[in-house]
Amino acid sequence: MTPDRRSDRQNADVGSRRAGYLLCVIAAPLFAMAGIVGAIAIDGGMAPLDFAAFRAYAGAVILLPFVLLALRSFRRRSLVPIILYAGIGVVASQSAYFEAISRIDIALALVIVFLAPLLVAAYERIHLGVRLPRYAYGAMLLAVGGVAVAVLATSGGIDDVSIAGLALAAFVMVTFAMQIILATRLPREVGPLASTGATIVVAAVLYIPLAPFWALPAGILDVPVSLDGVLAVDVPVWSALAWVALLGSALPFVVVIAGTQRIGAGAASMIGMIEPVIGSLIAWVLLGQVLEPVQVVGIGATIAGVAVVERARIRLRRPHPATLAADGVPVLDADHR
């Protein structure tokens, strides 16, 4: 390779990585907004389970063509991992998440959910014998302590916090950790879009007996919901559903796929840690969910602690272009959130 060609290749790689970082940064608010619009729809009278099902139905419609194009490439042995991931990582995780944010603030739910990498690290230590550096275990204690501070410092005291909401968020944390682990068993030969689409399509099928698409409430579409945040405006329920259908179902996964392909799962997972921050800010601006200063400190400590553990865990593993778990659906590599 001549020096000029080598230079062009290096410049192209730099440009590709910059685009990758930008795409992953864009994906974070798209994922965070799913909880915001979910809260709006729920406040308008839609059941959390119905909203979770609607999101899966919308994503299935968008990604089904990619699944059909790759249908012959799927192998029988991939069926069980896809069903397990769809059931645990999409149906159980998403349903419980929207139930949780109907009871507790989105920021609090997200920071609990994002403790999942700690469970993955514990699994790798027990099952795979992966030893993290000592400072990572200190970071784990910091992360858990940060969540405790965020919960205890809630305005009005612990009595004002829904125990059911906390339990649901903790359940989502467990399912999130399981989806990261299960993602390594998803089919790689069909490509990330088909693999992601397959799990969402199966999840949509699993939702049919729980929340049939023909029985989703249509009478609440025009119900106005008051946003108590900085903007203080009323929006109809249909606007929340339109957002999640167009921008909150398949699009975030497509964006994060493109970004992770350029920068790798390790870097993408670190960028993903900004989602709780963005989610907290948007919840404050739109929904008026204000955090106490001490809660902000606790959430910051949790994010910092988890980021340290995640970085240590990723450095001990060799990256590979596999499948990525992102807010409920596998994309490229199991080391992502």
Side-chain angles (χ1 to χ4, degrees):
M1 182 181 294
T2 64
D4 289 342
R5 289 184 177 179
R6 187 179 297 110
S7 177
D8 291 342
R9 177 66 178 274
Q10 290 174 346
N11 290 335
D13 289 343
V14 171
S16 178
R17 288 186 65 81
R18 288 177 178 173
Y21 281 109
L22 178 60
L23 287 169
C24 288
V25 169
I26 292 173
L30 290 176
F31 281 122
M33 276 298 296
I36 306 298
V37 297
I40 293 172
I42 292 168
D43 287 345
M46 193 171 194
L49 180 62
D50 287 343
F51 184 81
F54 176 81
R55 190 186 187 201
Y57 292 143
V61 170
I62 294 172
L63 292 176
L64 181 60
F66 298 98
V67 178
L68 295 177
L69 288 173
L71 194 58
R72 293 184 178 181
S73 299
F74 283 94
R75 300 174 183 175
R76 287 186 179 180
R77 67 186 183 191
S78 301
L79 185 60
V80 171
I82 288 174
I83 293 175
L84 285 175
Y85 192 99
I88 296 172
V90 182
V91 176
S93 184
Q94 291 295 298
S95 300
Y97 174 68
F98 289 115
E99 287 283 356
I101 63 173
S102 70
R103 293 169 168 83
I104 61 176
D105 286 352
I106 290 174
L108 191 55
L110 280 176
V111 77
I112 293 173
V113 170
F114 269 72
L115 288 175
L118 305 189
L119 296 183
V120 177
Y123 165 82
E124 292 180 343
R125 175 67 184 90
I126 297 171
H127 186 69
L128 304 178
V130 177
R131 293 181 177 271
L132 293 173
R134 291 182 179 179
Y135 68 81
Y137 296 102
M140 289 183 183
L141 294 176
L142 175 66
V144 175
V147 169
V149 170
V151 173
L152 294 174
T154 302
S155 178
I158 188 66
D159 291 338
D160 282 354
V161 180
S162 168
I163 301 302
L166 294 177
L168 285 164
F171 175 77
V172 179
M173 173 188 65
V174 175
T175 60
F176 190 10
M178 292 177 69
Q179 74 175 242
I180 295 174
I181 296 168
L182 287 170
T184 61
R185 294 164 174 78
L186 289 169
R188 305 176 187 178
E189 66 276 1
V190 297
L193 277 174
S195 180
T196 299
T199 61
I200 296 183
V201 169
V202 171
V205 173
L206 294 176
Y207 266 120
I208 290 176
L210 301 174
F213 58 85
W214 61 84
L216 294 179
I220 64 171
L221 294 180
D222 291 328
V223 172
V225 179
S226 298
L227 303 184
D228 298 326
V230 176
L231 300 179
V233 297
D234 292 345
V235 297
V237 171
W238 67 258
S239 64
L241 298 181
W243 175 282
V244 78
L246 299 175
L247 301 175
S249 56
L251 181 62
F253 304 117
V254 174
V255 172
V256 82
I257 285 171
T260 308
Q261 285 176 334
R262 290 165 171 79
I263 65 175
S269 67
M270 298 303 294
I271 294 176
M273 293 304 302
I274 68 175
E275 185 181 333
V277 178
I278 295 175
S280 301
L281 291 174
I282 299 176
W284 167 61
V285 172
L286 295 182
L287 305 180
Q289 295 183 357
V290 181
L291 295 171
E292 298 293 329
V294 177
Q295 286 185 291
V296 174
V297 173
I299 291 175
T302 297
I303 294 173
V306 173
V308 169
V309 175
E310 185 76 342
R311 180 173 176 80
R313 189 175 68 86
I314 291 169
R315 290 180 65 181
L316 291 176
R317 301 185 61 181
R318 298 182 62 182
H320 53 81
T323 50
L324 164 65
D327 191 51
V329 178
V331 185
L332 289 177
D333 192 294
D335 280 335
H336 190 72
R337 65 178 183 79

